Amino acid sequence: MSILQTLPESFRKQLSGEPVFSAKTDLQPNGHFGEEWLTFSESEVMLWRADGTQSLKLEMKEIKEARAVNGVGGGTLIADTMKGPVVIVRYTAALSSVFGFAAKLLNAVAKDEERPVQSENEFPRYCARCGNPLAQGTQVCPICRNNGKVLVRMLRYAKPYKLKMIAAAFLLVLTAAVEMIPPYLTKVMIDDVLQPKDMGSTLLWVVLGLGATSLVMSVMQTVRGLIGVWVGSKLMGDLRKDIYNSLMRLSLAFFDRRQTSQFIGRVNSDSEAMRQFMTDGVVWVCGESLRVVAIFVIMMGLDWKLTLYALLPVPVMIAVSMTIWPKIGRRWYQQWRSIFRLNVLVGDSLQGIRVVKAFGQESTEMSRYNEANREVVRHNIRIEGLWQGMFPLFSLIAGIGTLLIWYNGGQAVLRDELQLGVLMALIAYLGMLFGPLQWVSQMINWASHALSAADRVFEIMDTPSEVPDVRDPYPIGTIKGEVDFNNVSYGYEKHHPVLKGIDLQVKAGEMIGLVGHSGAGKSTFINMICRFYDADEGSISIDGIDLRSISQSDLRKQIGVVLQETFLFDGTIAENIAYSKPDATPEEIMRAAKIANAHDFIIRLPDGYDTRVGERGHRLSGGEKQRVAIARAIIHDPRILILDEATASVDTETERQIQQAIARLIDGRTTFAIAHRLSTLRNADRIVVLERGKIVEVGTHEELITKEGAYFKLVEAQKELSKIKGVEGG
């Protein structure tokens, strides 16, 4: 089933059978803007208007051909039927990819052919609740987000450090309380010392009081800052750990459908935004709220009439904040989307830098980057511009209160109804009062950024693994290596099975060769043994135990993998060999390297086993990397061995050395081997031939050659290719 958008239940009930496709268009048949729903099952095509009335019904058997015709600004999905062409639906250019896929899928269903694969990144996705499009890389709708729940969940991370955060908040309150002393001492100095011209010791004590106040404030701010650094670092560590652990828990299918570069930002940038809000924002709000209340009480005590004048702008400031909040949230979200696209572009370009250089596409990549970068700059200017405009606006509004106090208070001083010191104290307290109120805009900024970041982080944490571990796993111990495929079917897209009805019994210690054209399902076959994916139908068992009953950790301790695209970590050769067994001794590492025919080239390197291989092992040749990978598999000592094109793309001498290493490695192990050169599978106990996801032949090399079937054709085709290469080489 392939559903791009969740079909309304009232429409679904009218459909005969389960929907194969459903999507909402944005144009009516007459070309005017308006919503309509298209869906089709195995037997019929239906179109509904937004009010629920049906505007089209077409039997699938009537359709001869479906086609998407694109024009200027939009397109049309047309079905050629026995009675002539029928316009099924119209759409704008934004939905061209959706209905282009619909045409291909409709053709496949009508003609009962193999169905096209739907890529998640190719289509706009929509919120199931409000129908708004979702950004690439996230399933979270910013409109439907429950900010309260997200905030509560975010604050749970602060719970282990609540005592230190309370201490920081308490110090903030004390600091705020001490800050209120200088304005009052200023009042005393003006009214009780300077105006009466008291030449006694009062002036000295007032000055000493101001100095002591500054010293105490400095000490408390330092201590509070140190607490904030400690709590912030711990919080950041906890967030990064949970995000990374969640990523490690997810199945391969999750990463197959997403660009991995996006997760770097979630681990680092998003966790930093959450940390900043919790350690700085929350403590600041608590402390400043108490500070505002205390200042208000003091000001009311000094002169309640002037205080009320000063507070006249406050409702305006609150109203402005509430008006701007939604705009800031949307702009943060748009900025994140633009940064996400930029990160994906950089990740793809750098990972494929050899391809970029090989085809001389540096200027193209720079142009793509510049365009994406301009988008980031544009969104950054919009959000920072809004913030920069808010701060002066709040200052202007706050300044109105100050002017009202100066005018009314000045009049009272001139009439001798108010002491000058009281007026100066009120002005000072007013500045302290409006300081936090002006920073409400910054708090809104922090909160919006943090809530958007928390959404993306919690999305990863809440994503269930498509290959979940069983609660009470079967204790397998050391396995023999018998593998049984029982009617196994699997597809990366459920409507497009890659493996179909696979039945195969493999004895312990048997070597199985897997051959077939590209896309036949060979790599998927071995992925199923590793349980990177779970079968849609049927089951796979090892030693008679269903894979789903075994802990994934226990299972993969018994399986060793050597891939064509060897991946080495940026560490030493010894560390890469010992990756599957971190406590391996130097003697064990060296023994594994000798078996893998890697020892000789390693000791010729300047630093031997301590040579760093560089990112993805770029300092080693392809054959050297492959032998290190074989050594890594040897030290793992698996009972089941998987070789995926382990000798592809290497020269003859290197292949000979790798083959010798593999021959030692497979001894006594159940082995599944995919080989680029079919001749390397001559010694396999059995060869399994796959075509379009099905097993078409099984037998030894000699038996399959004698049959002159699919395997024979593959061998002959490879011989012809070798001859052509030989002629060209000559």
Side-chain angles (χ1 to χ4, degrees):
M1 186 169 67
S2 173
I3 296 181
L4 301 182
Q5 290 179 256
T6 305
L7 188 68
E9 194 61 34
S10 59
F11 296 165
R12 183 187 289 270
K13 291 177 181 177
Q14 301 178 51
L15 190 66
S16 173
E18 279 293 308
V20 173
F21 173 93
S22 64
K24 183 166 56 176
T25 182
D26 50 6
L27 287 182
Q28 297 174 348
N30 59 11
H32 295 161
F33 285 106
E35 292 181 358
E36 289 204 331
W37 279 89
L38 169 69
T39 186
F40 53 84
S41 65
E42 301 282 350
S43 59
E44 62 184 1
V45 178
M46 300 184 76
L47 188 69
W48 287 279
R49 300 184 185 92
D51 60 7
T53 58
Q54 192 178 112
S55 58
L56 174 72
K57 183 174 182 180
L58 192 63
E59 295 294 323
M60 192 66 72
K61 60 186 179 184
E62 297 178 39
I63 298 175
K64 295 192 296 182
E65 187 80 24
R67 51 200 166 91
V69 180
N70 292 328
V72 178
T76 308
L77 179 60
I78 299 174
D80 293 326
T81 69
M82 300 169 186
K83 298 177 182 179
V86 175
V87 174
I88 297 178
V89 72
R90 297 183 189 276
Y91 49 87
T92 64
L95 298 178
S96 293
S97 60
V98 173
F99 290 100
F101 175 79
K104 291 188 287 185
L105 183 57
L106 190 54
N107 269 325
V109 174
K111 298 175 183 179
D112 195 23
E113 295 176 346
E114 186 170 355
R115 299 177 186 182
V117 178
Q118 170 196 335
S119 169
E120 257 192 28
N121 295 327
E122 194 176 345
F123 305 112
R125 288 164 299 111
Y126 300 86
C127 173
R129 182 181 298 177
C130 68
N132 280 288
L134 299 173
Q136 183 184 358
T138 180
Q139 300 287 341
V140 176
C141 176
I143 296 173
C144 300
R145 177 178 68 200
N146 188 322
N147 289 331
K149 287 184 178 179
V150 175
L151 181 60
V152 169
R153 184 173 179 183
M154 189 167 34
L155 290 176
R156 286 178 191 155
Y157 275 90
K159 192 174 181 181
Y161 313 109
K162 61 182 180 182
L163 291 178
K164 287 185 171 59
M165 291 186 73
I166 289 171
F170 180 69
L171 283 172
L172 181 62
V173 172
L174 282 181
T175 304
V178 174
E179 273 185 308
M180 295 175 201
I181 296 174
Y184 187 80
L185 291 178
T186 302
K187 168 197 171 298
V188 171
M189 186 179 292
I190 293 171
D191 292 341
D192 300 336
V193 178
L194 299 181
Q195 283 188 332
K197 297 183 179 179
D198 180 3
M199 302 302 291
S201 60
T202 308
L203 177 61
L204 175 63
W205 285 110
V206 171
V207 172
L208 289 175
L210 287 169
T213 302
S214 299
L215 176 64
V216 171
M217 283 171 54
S218 177
V219 171
M220 289 193 294
Q221 286 172 348
T222 301
V223 174
R224 183 169 61 86
L226 292 173
I227 293 173
V229 168
W230 188 89
V231 172
S233 300
K234 289 287 187 179
L235 267 175
M236 190 75 169
D238 291 347
L239 283 166
R240 283 199 300 257
K241 179 191 73 176
D242 284 359
I243 299 169
Y244 192 77
N245 289 351
S246 297
L247 288 171
M248 290 295 102
R249 172 184 55 79
L250 294 169
S251 64
L252 273 184
F254 177 85
F255 298 99
D256 288 342
R257 295 191 292 267
R258 294 164 174 85
Q259 293 101 332
T260 53
S261 53
Q262 65 175 278
F263 299 113
I264 298 172
R266 298 199 189 189
V267 172
N268 296 322
S269 303
D270 288 347
S271 56
E272 169 59 21
M274 294 169 67
R275 194 278 314 160
Q276 186 181 45
F277 175 75
M278 287 186 285
T279 57
D280 298 338
V282 173
V283 170
W284 182 87
V285 167
C286 294
E288 294 301 308
S289 297
L290 292 172
R291 180 183 180 186
V292 166
V293 172
I295 292 172
F296 177 72
V297 170
I298 293 173
M299 288 180 68
M300 291 292 285
L302 289 172
D303 192 297
W304 66 271
K305 288 182 181 179
L306 288 178
T307 301
L308 293 180
Y309 277 123
L311 295 180
L312 285 176
V314 171
V316 179
M317 297 173 74
I318 294 173
V320 170
S321 298
M322 294 301 102
T323 303
I324 293 176
W325 173 288
K327 292 183 180 180
I328 289 182
R330 284 195 297 271
R331 291 189 182 183
W332 269 120
Y333 178 70
Q334 290 164 352
Q335 188 192 39
W336 173 79
R337 286 179 60 182
S338 64
I339 293 173
F340 164 76
R341 286 192 290 267
L342 190 71
N343 288 340
V344 168
L345 183 62
V346 172
D348 286 348
S349 298
L350 295 182
Q351 288 181 34
I353 191 66
R354 291 179 183 275
V355 177
V356 174
K357 296 285 185 184
F359 289 95
Q361 292 299 304
E362 293 92 340
S363 59
T364 302
E365 292 301 321
M366 285 188 283
S367 177
R368 290 175 60 204
Y369 180 85
N370 289 340
E371 185 178 344
N373 190 41
R374 280 194 295 270
E375 189 73 4
V376 172
V377 170
R378 187 172 70 84
H379 286 297
N380 193 61
I381 289 172
R382 289 184 71 215
I383 193 166
E384 291 298 332
L386 182 62
W387 158 238
Q388 294 300 327
M390 283 180 65
F391 194 85
L393 177 62
F394 272 59
S395 297
L396 178 63
I397 296 171
I400 295 172
T402 306
L403 293 175
L404 289 172
I405 283 193
W406 269 116
Y407 180 76
N408 292 285
Q411 292 278 17
V413 170
L414 293 174
R415 294 194 300 268
D416 290 331
E417 295 174 1
L418 183 72
Q419 290 182 304
L420 178 61
V422 173
L423 177 60
M424 299 305 296
L426 282 170
I427 296 294
Y429 282 125
L430 186 61
M432 296 169 64
L433 178 68
F434 278 133
L437 290 177
Q438 290 178 48
W439 280 90
V440 167
S441 56
Q442 174 64 17
M443 190 61 217
I444 293 172
N445 210 0
W446 275 345
S448 298
H449 195 182
L451 290 171
S452 297
D455 269 336
R456 297 188 290 272
V457 166
F458 294 147
E459 181 186 10
I460 292 176
M461 294 182 183
D462 294 339
T463 300
S465 174
E466 295 180 36
V467 185
D469 245 338
V470 65
R471 284 193 175 183
D472 299 310
Y474 188 94
I476 57 172
T478 301
I479 63 172
K480 292 185 292 182
E482 295 176 358
V483 181
D484 184 6
F485 279 72
N486 181 25
N487 193 32
V488 171
S489 294
Y490 174 76
Y492 300 101
E493 299 290 340
K494 302 309 176 189
H495 72 282
H496 185 274
V498 178
L499 296 179
K500 306 165 187 175
I502 300 293
D503 280 302
L504 184 68
Q505 289 74 45
V506 180
K507 298 176 184 176
E510 192 174 9
M511 180 179 179
I512 301 295
L514 296 170
V515 301
H517 292 292
S518 178
K522 305 184 296 295
S523 294
T524 304
F525 186 99
I526 61 176
N527 284 337
M528 303 301 290
I529 299 172
C530 298
R531 207 191 163 205
F532 292 150
Y533 310 96
D534 273 341
D536 296 330
E537 296 178 16
S539 63
I540 304 171
S541 60
I542 290 181
D543 292 355
I545 306 164
D546 192 309
L547 287 189
R548 286 168 288 203
S549 302
I550 304 171
S551 160
Q552 293 181 52
S553 175
D554 290 346
L555 171 67
R556 289 166 193 160
K557 286 177 182 176
Q558 310 277 350
I559 298 176
V561 181
V562 180
L563 302 173
Q564 177 184 356
E565 293 294 328
T566 303
F567 183 91
L568 299 183
F569 294 92
D570 185 11
T572 66
I573 290 176
E575 288 169 346
N576 273 281
I577 292 175
Y579 183 73
S580 60
K581 189 180 179 182
D583 58 347
T585 63
E587 290 77 15
E588 289 175 311
I589 293 171
M590 199 173 295
R591 175 179 170 275
K594 287 179 179 178
I595 296 173
N597 279 347
H599 178 72
D600 290 343
F601 88 77
I602 292 173
I603 60 175
R604 287 198 298 269
L605 296 171
D607 295 319
Y609 283 84
D610 291 327
T611 301
R612 298 193 70 84
V613 301
E615 187 178 1
R616 302 178 69 89
H618 74 271
R619 293 178 184 170
L620 303 181
S621 70
E624 289 169 343
K625 287 194 289 185
Q626 199 67 284
R627 279 174 278 172
V628 170
I630 292 171
R632 183 166 60 190
I634 290 169
I635 207 167
H636 186 46
D637 193 22
R639 299 306 308 148
I640 296 174
L641 181 64
I642 292 172
L643 306 172
D644 186 0
E645 303 277 16
T647 60
S649 306
V650 294
D651 59 74
T652 306
E653 175 59 25
T654 303
E655 181 185 4
R656 185 185 64 78
Q657 293 180 344
I658 292 174
Q659 287 289 4
Q660 290 175 352
I662 288 175
R664 300 186 193 110
L665 177 59
I666 66 176
D667 185 34
R669 310 178 202 275
T670 305
T671 305
F672 295 86
I674 300 173
H676 177 69
R677 299 178 180 90
L678 299 180
S679 57
T680 61
L681 297 177
R682 285 177 178 273
N683 298 325
D685 296 303
R686 282 187 293 166
I687 295 173
V688 175
V689 185
L690 291 165
E691 275 189 7
R692 297 183 68 175
K694 294 181 180 179
I695 295 178
V696 293
E697 287 182 342
V698 180
T700 64
H701 174 77
E702 290 75 16
E703 290 171 348
L704 296 181
I705 291 292
T706 304
K707 280 185 179 181
E708 295 190 4
Y711 180 73
F712 176 79
K713 292 177 182 176
L714 287 171
V715 173
E716 289 300 306
Q718 196 164 91
K719 286 180 180 177
E720 288 295 320
L721 184 61
S722 298
K723 287 180 183 177
I724 294 170
K725 287 182 177 177
V727 170
E728 290 176 348

